[in-house]
């Protein structure tokens, strides 16, 4: 017998909403270049975007029994995060399950395995980020952990951590760090806005970024 609990602390919804205003790249940089899932995990449509608390689940490769169980127990706004052994040759999620997720108001799906029915997923608009696209079917045989820490795309994801994903990729923010990371992300946005204004005013990248001493230390000599 395997007992699982679906109880875990979720971050403040307003804080999740705030993090959702920043790109995955901005958040990744702001929190010290941490939390980025492997770049192979991408949306099935570049317009897809999500931000929400992770509802984690462990699946056996080519088996979506626990994924379907997770969908049944996740709450509105939750992002289903699936660890399935980074197995590419399986379409463990498609339009039928996407409709089930959307009907419950779930926030999206991030999986290290494959999905299918991508044209229907694009039309539906439910955010899906996957390692691959595969038409190969799955079985429903293996039970496993749910709402426990999992590793997906090389990153440890715990239930309740904030998952932010967009066209560029997926990043995870630890729940207890969410407020600080939101503040750091805004500071990064403000700094970059200053850079852009300076560039438009005619100042150079080398000047703004203080690259001249660094280039000199590397022995670079530029003749104009």
């Amino acid at each position: 017998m395997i007992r699982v609990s679906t109880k875990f602390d979720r971050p403040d919804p307003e804080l999740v909403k705030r993090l959702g205003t920043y790109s995955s790249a901005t958040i990744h940089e702001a929190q010290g270049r941490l939390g980025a899932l492997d770049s192979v995990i991408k949306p099935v449509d570049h317009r897809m975007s999500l931000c929400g608390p992770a509802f984690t689940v462990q699946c056996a490769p080519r088996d979506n029994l626990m994924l379907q169980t997770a969908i049944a127990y996740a709450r509105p706004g939750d992002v289903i995060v699936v660890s399935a052994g980074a197995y590419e040759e399986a379409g463990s999620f498609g339009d039928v399950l996407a409709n089930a997720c959307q009907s419950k108001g779930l926030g999206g799906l991030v999986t290290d395995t494959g999905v299918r029915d991508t044209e229907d997923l694009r039309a539906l608009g439910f955010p899906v980020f996957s390692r691959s696209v595969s038409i190969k079917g799955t079985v429903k045989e293996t039970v496993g952990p749910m709402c426990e820490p999992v590793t997906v795309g090389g990153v440890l994801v715990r239930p309740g951590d904030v998952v932010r994903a967009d066209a560029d990729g997926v990043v995870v923010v630890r729940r207890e760090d969410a407020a600080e990371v939101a503040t750091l992300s805004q500071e990064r946005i403000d700094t970059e806005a200053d850079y852009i204004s300076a560039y438009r005013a005619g100042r150079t990248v080398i000047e703004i970024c203080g690259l001249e001493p660094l280039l000199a230390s590397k022995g670079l000599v530029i003749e104009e």
Side-chain angles (χ1 to χ4, degrees):
M1 178 182 295
I2 298 178
R3 294 185 180 274
V4 299
S5 173
T6 61
K7 297 179 181 179
F8 60 89
D9 292 330
R10 291 170 171 81
D12 183 342
E14 287 302 314
L15 186 53
V16 172
K17 183 178 180 180
R18 183 181 169 194
L19 281 169
T21 64
Y22 305 112
S23 71
S24 61
T26 293
I27 291 172
H28 169 62
E29 293 282 0
Q31 65 176 359
R33 298 182 178 175
L34 298 173
L37 272 59
D38 291 342
S39 60
V40 71
I41 298 177
K42 285 291 195 296
V44 299
D45 187 304
H46 73 277
R47 294 168 293 183
M48 290 179 173
S49 175
L50 63 80
C51 189
F55 189 102
T56 58
V57 62
Q58 182 85 46
C59 295
R62 296 189 62 243
D63 190 323
N64 73 349
L65 175 60
M66 290 308 297
L67 169 56
Q68 297 206 27
T69 304
I71 293 170
Y73 284 94
R75 297 181 186 177
D78 286 350
V79 175
I80 306 291
V81 178
V82 183
S83 175
Y87 188 81
E88 295 184 355
E89 297 300 324
S92 63
F93 184 91
D95 66 320
V96 175
L97 290 181
N99 273 278
C101 290
Q102 194 170 68
S103 296
K104 288 196 65 176
L106 302 188
L109 173 86
V110 175
T111 179
D112 71 352
T113 187
V115 300
R116 61 187 184 184
D117 306 325
T118 55
E119 287 192 9
D120 292 324
L121 293 177
R122 293 184 188 103
L124 187 63
F126 181 74
V128 175
F129 291 70
S130 69
R131 183 178 184 86
S132 65
V133 174
S134 172
I135 63 173
K136 295 180 180 179
T138 56
V139 298
K140 298 172 182 62
E141 296 287 347
T142 309
V143 296
M146 188 168 67
C147 298
E148 294 185 8
V150 297
T151 299
V152 178
V155 174
L156 181 68
V157 186
R158 305 168 307 166
D161 286 345
V162 181
V163 183
R164 174 71 175 111
D166 54 25
D168 290 335
V170 186
V171 66
V172 176
V173 179
R174 297 195 308 173
R175 182 176 60 83
E176 62 268 32
D177 296 338
E180 179 184 10
V181 172
T183 297
L184 293 172
S185 295
Q186 184 59 53
E187 290 175 358
R188 183 173 179 84
I189 291 294
D190 293 342
T191 298
E192 290 179 343
D194 290 341
Y195 285 170
I196 291 170
S197 295
Y199 296 149
R200 289 178 174 173
R203 298 179 68 185
T204 70
V205 173
I206 290 178
E207 180 185 4
I208 295 300
C209 297
L211 296 180
E212 189 170 350
L214 176 61
L215 294 174
S217 72
K218 301 292 184 182
L220 179 67
V221 177
I222 301 176
E223 297 180 356
E224 296 187 75

